[in-house]
Amino acid sequence: MAKDKAEMKADSILIPNQGVMTIDKKKKKAALTWYVFLLPSFIGILLFMVYPIVESFRLSFYQSNGTIENFIGFSNFQLVLTSKTFWNSVWNTFFIAFFQIALTIPLGFIFASMINSVRRGQNFFKVIYFLPNVTSIVAAAMIFQFVLHPEMGVVNYALEALGLPTSTWFSDPSTSKWGVTLLAMWHWIGFVIIICLANLQAISPEMYEAARIDGASKVQQWLFITIPNMSGTFAFLLITGWIGGLQRFNEIYVLGGPNGSPARSIQTMGAFIYERGFTGFEFGIASAATYIMFIIILIFTFINLKVSKMNI
């Protein structure tokens, strides 16, 4: 009798434990299933992101044409840092990015404020202004070649019709960077408008109502309510604008080739890397230039974060 009671007690102890073990197994099986589904993505990240980064870092210490490699230490970095062509590409990159950001963010904010003040047709204006941003930058660059053509371009035709001086645009080194800046502004302004408009519509109407009761004018409301509440958005646009601007390549390649014609006046850091790597087959120099560009972007982003006091 005592033995039967002991066996029943043991069974009552084992059954709950088996239930817990079964639940744990099901959880582990479910987790394993998710890992199996994620495995292709992990493999893709390893093959197309991690491996190229590691291999590029290794190549930066070699003189390589793709088949023959010789270890040369930091010579590639020294060659890039003492190259006038590289620093010319750095200057072009910063010139285009600076004026793109300095002109597009204020214009985008003004257009967003105008759209926000309209009661009807806001969605229509959103679509119209955002269309350039979803347009392929390669297709846009090809169109801008015709639009800004010094002889047959629509822009020069309109300027001449208005009695204003025309420009040589992409045909002259002194004006080619402004042509790229106009293209960059046209392509990016839709994104700026949408982001600014989202922030404007998130500001509480009660703040403006309280300001009106206190006798604040429209200008005072704009200066002391709208602008301060837009600071986070401006910081975000500033940082993302610089990161994108410093990596500029696609439109440069279409407009002036890897050497940034005319006379390397629009060659950016990305175009310099492409020219050395895939035109000159100097993969070690291209890899070293890639990491130098990465360090420049990293430092500049850190400075922007400190200046804008934006936390990440």
Side-chain angles (χ1 to χ4, degrees):
M1 188 75 177
K3 186 178 179 181
D4 293 339
K5 288 182 178 180
E7 288 178 353
M8 290 175 64
K9 186 176 181 182
D11 291 340
S12 64
I13 294 171
L14 287 172
I15 291 170
N17 289 338
Q18 287 176 352
V20 171
M21 289 175 66
T22 304
I23 293 170
D24 288 340
K25 285 181 179 179
K26 286 182 178 179
K27 287 182 178 179
K28 289 179 180 178
K29 187 177 180 181
L32 183 62
T33 304
W34 281 112
Y35 281 122
V36 170
F37 280 107
L38 290 172
L39 187 62
S41 298
F42 286 140
I43 294 173
I45 290 170
L46 288 173
L47 289 177
F48 300 108
M49 291 184 67
V50 177
Y51 171 73
I53 291 171
V54 174
E55 179 64 11
S56 178
F57 182 73
R58 185 189 70 83
L59 280 175
S60 65
F61 298 100
Y62 285 81
Q63 183 182 24
S64 172
N65 62 1
T67 55
I68 302 172
E69 294 182 356
N70 295 312
F71 181 79
I72 56 174
F74 290 94
S75 296
N76 286 326
F77 291 92
Q78 183 181 1
L79 193 149
V80 172
L81 291 172
T82 56
S83 170
K84 292 183 179 179
T85 304
F86 174 74
W87 288 111
N88 176 65
S89 69
V90 173
W91 162 251
N92 293 337
T93 304
F94 273 88
F95 181 96
I96 297 168
F98 173 79
F99 283 103
Q100 174 197 356
I101 293 167
L103 296 173
T104 308
I105 292 179
L107 282 175
F109 174 58
I110 292 170
F111 288 149
S113 299
M114 292 171 65
I115 294 172
N116 192 47
S117 63
V118 175
R119 293 185 178 181
R120 294 183 179 179
Q122 281 194 9
N123 291 331
F124 171 77
F125 288 112
K126 288 178 186 177
V127 172
I128 292 297
Y129 280 108
F130 195 67
L131 276 176
N133 191 253
V134 297
T135 304
S136 168
I137 189 62
V138 174
M142 294 179 69
I143 292 170
F144 261 70
Q145 277 186 320
F146 293 100
V147 171
L148 298 179
H149 194 278
E151 296 177 0
M152 299 179 293
V154 177
V155 174
N156 275 359
Y157 178 80
L159 291 173
E160 189 176 356
L162 294 171
L164 298 173
T166 58
S167 175
T168 50
W169 298 115
F170 298 121
S171 301
D172 191 339
S174 62
T175 57
S176 57
K177 282 191 281 289
W178 289 109
V180 178
T181 303
L182 282 176
L183 169 59
M185 289 175 59
W186 177 83
H187 193 261
W188 193 48
I189 195 167
F191 177 78
V192 175
I193 291 171
I194 293 298
I195 296 297
C196 288
L197 190 58
N199 196 155
L200 286 169
Q201 292 178 345
I203 300 174
S204 175
E206 295 175 358
M207 299 176 69
Y208 293 103
E209 186 178 353
R212 281 195 298 270
I213 293 170
D214 291 338
S217 64
K218 289 284 186 182
V219 175
Q220 289 174 323
Q221 292 175 35
W222 189 72
L223 287 174
F224 297 105
I225 297 177
T226 307
I227 298 295
N229 279 280
M230 292 291 296
S231 59
T233 296
F234 291 149
F236 168 77
L237 292 171
L238 183 69
I239 292 167
T240 55
W242 273 114
I243 292 173
L246 294 178
Q247 298 180 79
R248 179 166 283 110
F249 168 74
N250 293 336
E251 61 267 48
I252 300 302
Y253 184 82
V254 174
L255 294 170
N259 61 351
S261 297
R264 298 187 180 275
S265 59
I266 60 173
Q267 186 183 47
T268 57
M269 289 187 286
F272 174 87
I273 292 167
Y274 181 90
E275 181 188 23
R276 288 305 183 104
F278 296 99
T279 303
F281 296 100
E282 297 171 313
F283 296 109
I285 294 174
S287 298
T290 300
Y291 274 90
I292 291 170
M293 184 177 77
F294 168 74
I295 292 169
I296 290 173
I297 294 174
L298 188 66
I299 293 172
F300 211 73
T301 302
F302 178 77
I303 293 171
N304 282 329
L305 287 171
K306 288 297 182 182
V307 171
S308 62
K309 298 179 181 179
M310 186 176 179
N311 296 321
I312 56 172

